[in-house]
Amino acid sequence: MKHLPLFDKIPKFSKSLEVVKKNFFRVRFLAAFNILTVVIFGALSVYAKLYNQGDGVERLFSDPFNFWFPYEGILTGVSEVLWCIPVAICAFTFGVLRQKEPRSRSGIFFFFSALLLGVFFLDDRFRMTLILSRLGISIKLIYFCYGSAVFLYGVKFWRYIKTTPYLPLVAAFLLFAISRFEDIFESQSQGVHAMLEDGTKLLALLNLARYFWHVCHQEVWRHLQQREEH
């Protein structure tokens, strides 16, 4: 009797495999991102094996958890989550709006908002300012560049921002400024320093997330209504 291939003996498995394959390649760049990630992880595994660096690679995935103080860093974690919200929804809203009007004023606003906030998030999460300062670049110069970027952002999009409930956005940037000034001129009290630097940043992120959540929701809803009318 002729031996059938294993997959032919299991038609449901073969059919399921085709469905998975079809859906996997349906989303643009999904295959490339997954393959690239697997290659990077594979390279790290080989590096750890060849150079006996297993501990170093493991630290990349380690959790900053303190058994005796489980609350340690909890507000920092909340801040990092809040950072992601405006960046993600601005990028998503830009992607939705550009399908109909690639150069719309609101779409460009959300693109540059995602870009600016994304840079700030990466700086805060990966301590880029601290790293650059250790390389000899003045912190004041770095903050001046960031301040200039915020100023140009405000000038460029002020007309659009005025059409939105912009008070939380203005409050957020003012609170960020207080946080950064406190980082430069540290107060002697640790508690006061933590509240003025990290507390104001957390409050700024709450305002920022609330503002962009509302504005992005309004723009997407308007976009959907316009599509229904057409």
Side-chain angles (χ1 to χ4, degrees), residues 18 28 32 47 56 58 66 75 82 86 89 94 96 102-103 106 128 143 153 157 176 181 186 198 214 218 225:
E18 285 298 322
R28 190 178 296 178
Y47 168 78
E58 187 178 3
N66 188 330
L75 293 180
L82 287 173
I89 60 177
F94 166 71
V96 171
R103 296 185 177 275
S106 56
M128 292 196 306
Y143 287 161
Y153 169 83
F157 297 110
F176 278 135
F181 277 123
E186 294 186 11
D198 299 312
H214 175 78
Q218 294 296 317
Q225 286 181 321

Side-chain angles (χ1 to χ4, degrees), residues 23-226:
N23 281 276
F24 188 73
F25 288 99
R26 194 173 176 184
V27 181
R28 190 178 296 178
F29 303 126
L30 181 61
F33 282 142
N34 278 274
I35 292 169
L36 180 61
T37 303
V38 170
V39 168
I40 291 172
F41 287 169
L44 283 172
S45 300
V46 171
Y47 168 78
K49 182 69 175 175
L50 292 178
Y51 296 96
N52 196 26
Q53 294 292 326
D55 291 343
V57 173
E58 187 178 3
R59 287 194 189 97
L60 295 174
F61 299 94
S62 62
D63 296 321
F65 176 72
N66 188 330
F67 176 79
W68 300 108
F69 302 99
Y71 61 85
E72 186 173 2
I74 189 170
L75 293 180
T76 297
V78 170
S79 294
E80 290 173 358
V81 172
L82 287 173
W83 261 125
C84 297
I85 292 174
V87 176
I89 60 177
C90 282
F92 174 80
T93 306
F94 166 71
V96 171
L97 297 179
R98 73 186 292 269
Q99 294 177 3
K100 184 178 181 182
E101 299 178 67
R103 296 185 177 275
S104 68
R105 182 178 59 171
S106 56
I108 295 172
F109 169 70
F110 290 122
F111 171 77
F112 279 100
S113 296
L115 184 64
L116 182 67
L117 297 176
V119 170
F120 287 166
F121 167 68
L122 292 175
D123 179 279
D124 187 59
R125 180 62 185 85
F126 297 104
R127 305 296 185 265
M128 292 196 306
T129 296
L130 182 60
I131 293 172
L132 291 174
S133 67
R134 294 292 173 86
L135 294 175
I137 300 175
S138 171
I139 290 181
K140 294 179 180 179
L141 176 62
I142 297 170
Y143 287 161
F144 174 77
C145 292
Y146 284 160
S148 300
V150 172
F151 176 76
L152 292 174
Y153 169 83
V155 170
K156 173 68 177 176
F157 297 110
W158 179 241
R159 286 186 180 179
Y160 177 79
I161 292 171
K162 281 197 301 185
T163 65
T164 67
Y166 58 85
L167 187 58
L169 181 65
V170 174
F173 282 119
L174 287 175
L175 288 165
F176 278 135
I178 294 172
S179 175
R180 294 305 91 193
F181 277 123
E182 177 59 23
D183 188 30
I184 298 174
F185 308 104
E186 294 186 11
S187 58
Q188 296 181 349
S189 172
Q190 288 185 341
V192 173
H193 173 68
M195 287 299 102
L196 287 177
E197 182 182 1
D198 299 312
T200 52
K201 182 178 73 175
L202 180 57
L203 186 57
L205 289 169
L206 284 168
N207 280 277
L208 205 63
R210 182 66 187 90
Y211 170 78
F212 280 109
W213 185 282
H214 175 78
V215 175
C216 290
H217 175 270
Q218 294 296 317
E219 285 296 335
V220 171
W221 180 250
R222 188 180 296 113
H223 174 76
L224 293 174
Q225 286 181 321
Q226 289 175 352

